[in-house]
Each structure stands twice: as structure tokens, then as C-alpha cells.
Amino acid sequence: MYDRLEEWTEGMEWDWVISRQRVFATPIPAWECADCGHVEIAGAEEVPVDPAGEDPAVDACPECGGDSWTGETDVMDTWMDSSISPMYISGSPDEVFDPVALRPQGHDIIRTWAFYTLLRVAALEETRPWNDVLINGMIFGDDGRKMSKSRGNVVSPAGAVEEYSADAVRQALALGGQPGSDIQFQWKEVTSASRFQTKLWNITKFAAGHVDESTPGVTDPAYRDADEWILSRCARVAEGVAADMEEYRFDSALREVREFVWHDLADDYLELVKGRLYEGRPGERKAAQHALLAALSASLRMLSPFAPFITEEAWNHLPTDGSVHGASWPDPPTTDPEAAARGSVVAEVAAAVRGWKSGEGVPLNADLDRIEVYLEEARPLDTYDLAEAVNGPVYVEEGSPSVEMVPVDVDVEHSELGPAFRDRAGDVVGELEATDPAELQAELETRGHVEFDIGDQSVTVEPEMFDVVEEQRAESGEEVVVLEADEATVLVFE
């Protein structure tokens, strides 16, 4: 984007023509004497003034004494006004001018608004107008082309806001792309933002039912590993989001905080601590309440630039002070790194088990016989929250589990077997189902097929006519489900 400004500046070969022949704009405060042609310019104390309808402050022409004036009908170029906007917002001329922090603008007016602002402020104040300029792209229709009534791809902001809320539209646009790049308006991003806001509101309502005015003042909370993990994760997210915001990477900042809220806070942490929040001992419950409030209030502060309305409403439903928009940037409590790392494993295991339950259609609150967590190296793992989250006792082991695939059944492919054996198909199926699946598996591996004697005839059953069903079995012989988390292998015993 800087290249555009540089190329425009270096290629200029003419002066700035500041007058325009338009109806609406700032009048040029000048009159011409009808007798001698003298041009009278209004002083600073005389403006604003419209020379087309008002005479100059002087009674007579200082050159010839005439009193007939012709007011200037041309008006100022638009950029004459807007080019001093940094001076205006900083209080000039009544206040000493300091460069403003940021100028946000589109890339289509780099050669006008950006250039003329640099020119005017440098000439008047001998300094730069701003510290940074943020160049925005254009918003295209949902078909990726410039919005046009003839194309039928114009998106009405008012309509989108009315249907999904201003916060949802704001998030969708923030996720559109990097600064300077054009943005394709996508309805799916608006609906996704709307769903996220519903999730955020549900988290807030849940938290508001468990925290109170005493929660922020809890001293020396007895954090468990899951609490240490969520607060450590929150601190890293706050640091990353702050870095993104400093560099105007709004899309990256919003994605990171939304990922934290939706998955880490809602899907993992809340499910881990529900047991303590509902039935925990007082000290354990207070620790969970304190960590939950700290993580949620930090999330609201990070989200507030992107969703100012819902975050303010959520903030006011929690034991917080003032407005979320006046709150300081999140600074979560200091955590124990080792405890936070253990808590990360707990969260991973809980997520793996709950994901398996969901995928298999098993109710999330269904009891399990037990789960075994295998870690490469022995270390103490806080299983209190984990056992509550998975609805079963948890045992921690070192090393790798001993699990093998065991043939347990046979699945006949009738579409292959029936046409091959016709009236004998029932007998063949009976032989397959009566034979030990382990024997079938062994014969397939050695001979590539299976043979039976049916009556006085020998029949050959090809491998495409049936499948040997295998199940994972633990060393004890029990059926088991094996799940892989990042830092652990999990055995689930139903």
C-alpha cells in the first residue's frame, strides 16, 4: 500500500487545484472588487462565511475605495476539509497538535485523503499527521464481485443487522481478511457469528448462576489442575490477541479468542468443572467459580471490540464493575506451569472421551465402567474433574497399553455369496457362522480363502464373500475402545 502513495507522490507534475464547481461544499471566503479587481480574503476571525450571499467585512475596497463586490461561487475541494481532520480531532488550533494514533481509510483514496493529509499537516504543523495508517479493502458481494444493483449482489447492512444483529455483522467483516485486502461478504460468517454469540450468552447465563459478588474477592483459591490449565491458556490467548491487535490483524485476533471461548472454555473447561460447581466441597467450588469468572471476564474484554453490544450485556450479568469497554486488558492469575500442563492432558482426555461418546451416539452422561490413561512418563494426574466429566473412575498408567485385535464374528456379504452357491447358500452361511472366527481369520491369512465340506462336496468361500469382524481387547480380555489424545492413549471400558 505504501508503494501506491510513493508512486503517486513521485509522479505528480501539477499543483493542487483546490476549487470545485459544485453546489454543496465549504465556500471559498473571497470577493473580487467590481471596480479594480482586487481580491479580498476573509480573515480567520470572519469565517465561516458564504461570499455568495454576504459582503466582506471591509466597508470599501482598500485599493480603489469601491464598494461593489462579487463573491466567489466556487467551493473548496472536499479534501481541503478532510485533510486537516487529524488537527480537528486533536483540538487544533486551541490545543497543541500531536500526531494522532491511527488513520483508518480505504485503499481507493490513498492518493487523495492520505496524500493531502500528509501535505496539509506537514505544511501547517511541520510534523506527521498520524503514527499509523490502516488501509482497508472494499467489501464485495457474496459472489466475490463488486456490489452492483444490476448484478443483484448488493447486501443491505440494515437488513443484515436487523436479521442477525450488528455484532454478528461486525464479526463477519472483521474475519473477512487482512488489512488492505478486499473482503467478500459471506452470509455463512454472519450466521456463524450469530451462533457463537448464542454460545457466549449461554456460557454467561450458566456462569452467572454459579458466581456472586464474593467470587472476585476469593483469596488463595485452591485451584485444581483444570483451573490452572484454563487460566494459563487464557493468559496465552490474551497475549496473542494483544499482539494481533497491535499489528491490526483483526481476523487472527477474533479467530483466536472465539476458538478459546467455544472449545477451551465451553466444550472442555465447563464440562470438567460442572461436578465441582454443583456438588463440590466449598473450597473446591470457590476455586472453580473464581477461575471461571476470570476466564469469562477476560474473554468478554477481548471480544468487546468485535461484539460491543453482547459483551456489554454479558458483562453486566456478572459481578463486574463499570463497562466492559472501560475495563483493563485481561491479566489472568499467575499459574503453576506443571499443574497447567497436567490440566491440559486432563482436558485432552475428557474431550477425546466425550467426542467418542458423541460420535457413537452414546449419551454424554452415560456411565462408564472405567477409563485407563496411559502416559509415556509417569506423573501425577489430577483425575477428580476428569472422573466427573467422563462419568467413570479413571486410572493412570505409565507406558503403552497392551491391546490386540481379536476376531469375534463374521459378516456375510450375501450379494457375493448367494449368486455363487444358489441353493447351497444357506448351508455355506451356516458353516461360516458356526466356525470360530479366529479359525476363519487364520485360514484366510494362510490360504487366501476358506474351504468347507458340505455333504459329499467341498466348497471354496472366497474372501470377498464375508468379513471377519474384529474387536479391540485389553490384556484382560475385555472389550475396549482405544482413543488417542495428544499426550496420552486412553482405554475406555464400557
Side-chain angles (χ1 to χ4, degrees):
M1 293 300 165
Y2 180 79
D3 291 342
R4 294 193 189 184
L5 177 64
E6 187 175 44
E7 290 171 3
W8 171 258
T9 305
E10 292 181 348
M12 291 191 69
E13 298 179 353
W14 58 88
D15 291 333
W16 181 9
V17 180
I18 66 169
S19 61
R20 294 290 184 272
Q21 294 73 50
R22 295 173 179 161
V23 176
F24 301 107
T26 300
I28 297 176
W31 298 260
E32 182 179 0
C33 176
D35 297 325
C36 69
H38 167 72
V39 176
E40 180 70 18
I41 305 296
E45 69 282 356
E46 300 170 45
V47 293
V49 63
D50 183 4
E54 303 175 56
D55 288 333
V58 296
D59 294 331
C61 174
E63 296 291 333
C64 70
D67 59 3
S68 179
W69 299 95
T70 301
E72 180 59 63
T73 57
D74 279 5
V75 294
M76 293 283 189
D77 176 18
T78 298
W79 307 112
M80 278 295 291
D81 295 332
S82 54
S83 62
I84 58 171
S85 53
M87 297 170 57
Y88 175 77
I89 63 176
S90 65
S92 179
D94 298 327
E95 303 290 339
V96 175
F97 175 74
D98 286 318
V100 298
L102 179 68
R103 154 67 67 79
Q105 69 162 71
H107 59 61
D108 55 322
I109 50 176
I110 289 176
R111 66 177 184 85
T112 49
W113 197 20
F115 172 75
Y116 290 134
T117 303
L118 288 165
L119 179 68
R120 291 288 304 285
V121 174
L124 296 171
E125 299 289 349
E126 297 184 347
T127 187
R128 65 182 185 278
W130 53 68
N131 295 326
D132 293 303
V133 57
L134 176 63
I135 304 299
N136 303 311
M138 307 295 287
I139 301 178
F140 289 172
D142 56 5
D143 59 357
R145 298 190 295 175
K146 185 178 180 180
M147 289 190 191
S148 167
K149 289 183 178 179
S150 62
R151 294 193 181 109
N153 66 347
V154 175
V155 177
S156 166
V161 168
E162 182 177 359
E163 183 173 359
Y164 291 102
S165 82
D167 283 352
V169 175
R170 187 182 182 100
Q171 287 185 66
L173 295 178
L175 290 171
Q178 293 285 342
S181 62
D182 293 326
I183 299 172
Q184 178 182 352
F185 184 87
Q186 299 187 62
W187 283 108
K188 67 177 183 179
E189 292 290 2
V190 182
T191 56
S192 174
S194 180
R195 289 194 299 270
F196 171 74
Q197 289 172 187
T198 299
K199 187 80 166 181
L200 178 66
W201 186 245
N202 290 336
I203 298 170
T204 301
K205 288 195 299 182
F206 175 83
H210 291 278
V211 301
D212 55 34
E213 296 297 332
S214 68
T215 303
V218 172
T219 57
D220 299 323
Y223 290 144
R224 301 198 76 96
D225 288 356
D227 305 322
E228 300 274 0
W229 163 71
I230 196 64
L231 293 174
S232 173
R233 180 84 179 96
C234 183
R236 293 197 305 273
V237 170
E239 183 178 351
V241 171
D244 282 335
M245 296 291 279
E246 287 290 332
E247 296 298 324
Y248 310 116
R249 295 189 295 261
F250 303 129
D251 57 330
S252 177
L254 180 54
R255 283 192 178 89
E256 185 168 6
V257 69
R258 276 179 32 166
E259 177 78 14
F260 171 75
V261 171
W262 193 294
H263 298 293
D264 295 325
L265 183 57
D267 290 350
D268 294 340
Y269 180 70
L270 283 184
E271 296 303 327
L272 282 168
V273 299
K274 279 181 179 178
R276 270 191 288 152
L277 291 173
Y278 284 117
E279 300 175 350
R281 294 187 293 270
E284 294 172 339
R285 185 168 60 251
K286 288 183 178 180
Q289 291 168 343
H290 191 266
L292 173 58
L293 179 60
L296 179 55
S297 66
S299 301
L300 294 177
R301 280 173 276 174
M302 289 186 281
L303 283 168
S304 61
F306 306 102
F309 298 105
I310 193 171
T311 53
E312 180 71 4
E313 187 70 16
W315 184 264
N316 290 329
H317 276 69
L318 299 173
T320 53
D321 296 325
S323 167
V324 67
H325 303 296
S328 59
W329 191 251
D331 184 20
T334 303
T335 57
D336 176 355
E338 293 185 1
R342 295 193 300 267
S344 177
V345 176
V346 168
E348 289 174 7
V349 172
V353 174
R354 289 177 63 81
W356 165 76
K357 282 186 173 182
S358 178
E360 294 297 317
V362 178
L364 295 180
N365 61 352
D367 291 335
L368 298 176
D369 182 70
R370 71 184 186 278
I371 70 169
E372 295 177 0
V373 180
Y374 286 81
L375 305 174
E376 290 186 2
E377 297 181 0
R379 55 173 160 167
L381 205 62
D382 184 356
T383 62
Y384 181 90
D385 290 328
L386 181 56
E388 291 289 333
V390 301
N391 292 88
V394 179
Y395 301 91
V396 181
E397 307 288 348
E398 180 183 5
S400 300
S402 178
V403 177
E404 61 178 347
M405 298 298 294
V406 177
V408 296
D409 201 357
V410 62
D411 183 17
V412 178
E413 294 289 343
H414 293 279
S415 62
E416 295 285 344
L417 187 146
F421 295 104
R422 298 184 181 277
D423 56 342
R424 294 181 298 166
D427 295 331
V428 175
V429 171
E431 289 288 344
L432 284 171
E433 293 178 343
T435 306
D436 185 342
E439 294 180 10
L440 295 175
Q441 182 71 32
E443 191 169 352
L444 278 177
E445 291 176 353
T446 57
R447 305 177 66 177
H449 61 264
V450 173
E451 294 182 1
F452 295 114
D453 288 330
I454 299 178
D456 58 354
Q457 293 185 348
S458 177
V459 298
T460 300
V461 184
E462 300 296 339
E464 65 268 17
M465 297 179 181
F466 71 98
D467 292 316
V468 176
V469 179
E470 296 181 313
E471 289 181 352
Q472 293 174 316
R473 296 292 175 94
E475 192 172 16
S476 62
E478 297 170 278
E479 182 181 350
V480 67
V481 176
V482 181
L483 306 175
E484 294 292 342
D486 286 345
E487 297 186 58
T489 299
V490 184
L491 301 189
V492 180
F493 296 83
E494 297 184 75

